[in-house]
Amino acid sequence: MAVITDWPGGKRFAFTVFDDTDFATLDNVGEVYRLLADLGFRTTKSVWPLEGTQPGSCPGQTCEYPAYLEWLLGLRGQGFEIGYHTATWHTSVRKDTLRALDRFEQLFGRPPAAMANHSDNQENVYWGTSRLGGLNRFVYNLATGFRYAGRYRGHVENDPLFWGDLCKEKIRYCRSFVFNNINTLAACPFMPYHDSLRPYVNYWFASSEGSEAGAFNQSLSEKNQDKLESEGGACIMYAHFACGFVNQGKLNPRFKQLMERLARKGGWYVPVSTLLDRLAEQNSRHVITNRERTALERRWLGHKLLSGRP
């Protein structure tokens, strides 16, 4: 499948970020968004609609914090997208997921267009071993000691954690695989795609590795920026802006430098769902084939095993 090169307004490439809300507070992400806004980037900030009631490994502020919510509404008013990262930072049963989705729509005026599963939460849809099939699933199980087998059950009908029907009804795009390639579109040229083996997700999208400041800066190096531009590609960086991008109230200087350089290139800087809507028009809302699925899974599995974080 051909990769799109005719970006709106004569732009040469596209760039955006899906920001995972783990650990996020006004103190550790506010400066990041101030920089993005000043430079002309419009990206996607995910949220937890509900306050957690149980311990979790990476809690942060939720939409239940009035000042944080006010700030989120301000971001939306500036053109940033608000995405979904499950109900809260710990596993939620169906009724709480429904309450979270209703709360999201009440606060932001519409259901979330884009989401990412939260790795700690067992209500994730098609996560862990359910992301893979056949030999790829077997290899993943061996590499992880089978500890994720059957763990994630958001897509399992009649399970207390099931919410697959709500996902299909309300959410357009769900994050799938992450690749060590600045040009996400080159790694997954048919995104967003529907997978008939995983029907509760309307469309999946891939992303590029930028989970914390060091990985983000490495992916967005000058060389990689130039590569993205020369290929006319699209990058959806998957990041945790709460992880190392701000230290003692100051932006990571390398991150600031790289974003300023990228801004001068004049790419198409829009939120995740806006970019994916554009791609969906171009690829006629692609349904992934068995061959494409197997190859995509294999490339992702190789990246995870080589990184030592399966």
Side-chain angles (χ1 to χ4, degrees), residues 125-134 136-137 155 164 167-168 174 176-177 193-204 287-290 293-294 296-297:
V125 289
Y126 306 115
W127 211 241
T129 56
S130 298
R131 303 173 79 175
L132 305 163
N136 291 325
R137 178 179 291 192
H155 54 282
C167 182
K168 185 173 181 63
C174 183
S176 60
F177 300 117
Y193 63 90
H194 180 73
D195 186 345
S196 58
L197 297 185
R198 296 168 177 84
Y200 287 123
V201 167
N202 288 304
Y203 297 98
W204 296 95
V287 178
I288 197 169
T289 67
N290 291 336
R293 182 192 303 109
T294 298
L296 190 69
E297 291 175 357

Side-chain angles (χ1 to χ4, degrees), residues 7-300:
W7 300 108
K11 305 296 185 181
R12 296 185 296 275
F13 66 96
F15 176 88
T16 190
V17 181
F18 190 101
D19 175 23
D20 184 314
T21 199
D22 294 4
F23 300 109
T25 69
L26 278 175
D27 290 338
N28 62 24
V29 300
E31 287 298 321
V32 173
Y33 281 92
R34 186 173 293 111
L35 175 71
L36 295 178
D38 289 346
L39 294 176
F41 293 98
R42 293 299 182 267
T43 59
T44 299
K45 166 78 177 81
S46 68
V47 299
W48 287 313
L50 303 182
E51 182 69 11
T53 59
Q54 304 169 25
S57 63
C58 48
Q61 290 179 335
T62 72
C63 294
E64 304 284 1
Y65 286 73
Y68 188 69
L69 175 60
E70 182 180 4
W71 175 73
L72 291 170
L73 292 171
L75 283 183
R76 188 193 59 169
Q78 295 178 70
F80 289 88
E81 177 180 31
I82 306 301
Y84 186 69
H85 194 47
T86 69
T88 191
W89 62 67
H90 57 70
T91 297
S92 298
V93 296
R94 179 183 174 88
K95 68 179 179 64
D96 290 331
T97 296
L98 178 59
R99 184 163 62 92
L101 289 167
D102 286 345
R103 179 63 172 158
F104 186 104
E105 190 167 355
Q106 177 188 34
L107 293 174
F108 302 111
R110 64 184 66 181
M115 70 154 286
N117 287 307
H118 178 52
S119 59
D120 284 356
N121 292 8
Q122 295 179 48
E123 81 272 21
N124 289 344
V125 289
Y126 306 115
W127 211 241
T129 56
S130 298
R131 303 173 79 175
L132 305 163
L135 180 60
N136 291 325
R137 178 179 291 192
F138 178 71
V139 172
Y140 180 86
N141 275 327
L142 284 179
T144 59
F146 287 83
R147 66 180 179 271
Y148 298 117
R151 173 177 172 81
Y152 300 109
R153 308 192 302 279
H155 54 282
V156 179
E157 295 182 23
N158 300 318
D159 191 281
L161 303 181
F162 173 68
W163 69 285
D165 57 335
L166 302 175
C167 182
K168 185 173 181 63
E169 175 189 347
K170 294 180 177 292
I171 298 172
R172 195 151 69 246
Y173 302 116
C174 183
R175 184 182 74 90
S176 60
F177 300 117
V178 181
F179 295 99
N180 189 25
N181 186 339
I182 186 65
N183 188 353
T184 317
L185 192 55
C188 185
F190 38 78
M191 73 172 187
Y193 63 90
H194 180 73
D195 186 345
S196 58
L197 297 185
R198 296 168 177 84
Y200 287 123
V201 167
N202 288 304
Y203 297 98
W204 296 95
F205 68 94
S207 55
S208 297
E209 182 64 67
S211 57
E212 42 76 32
F216 191 105
N217 292 342
Q218 182 176 351
S219 291
L220 204 63
S221 68
E222 291 87 351
K223 178 181 178 180
N224 285 341
Q225 287 186 24
D226 295 344
K227 174 179 182 289
L228 179 65
E229 181 181 22
S230 68
E231 293 177 355
C235 174
I236 301 178
M237 195 79 83
Y238 190 72
H240 298 79
F241 279 149
C243 295
F245 291 82
V246 176
N247 294 295
Q248 298 182 337
K250 295 184 179 180
L251 284 167
N252 179 293
R254 177 64 172 159
F255 167 69
K256 183 174 183 291
Q257 175 192 33
L258 289 170
M259 294 305 294
E260 289 172 342
R261 183 182 191 271
L262 184 64
R264 291 193 294 270
K265 287 183 173 291
W268 195 44
Y269 304 134
V270 294
V272 169
S273 67
T274 303
L275 172 57
L276 293 173
D277 286 346
R278 169 76 174 178
L279 293 175
E281 292 176 3
Q282 297 290 319
N283 73 14
S284 301
R285 291 166 173 79
H286 185 71
V287 178
I288 197 169
T289 67
N290 291 336
R291 178 176 293 181
E292 289 168 340
R293 182 192 303 109
T294 298
L296 190 69
E297 291 175 357
R298 186 182 299 120
R299 289 199 303 274
W300 172 79

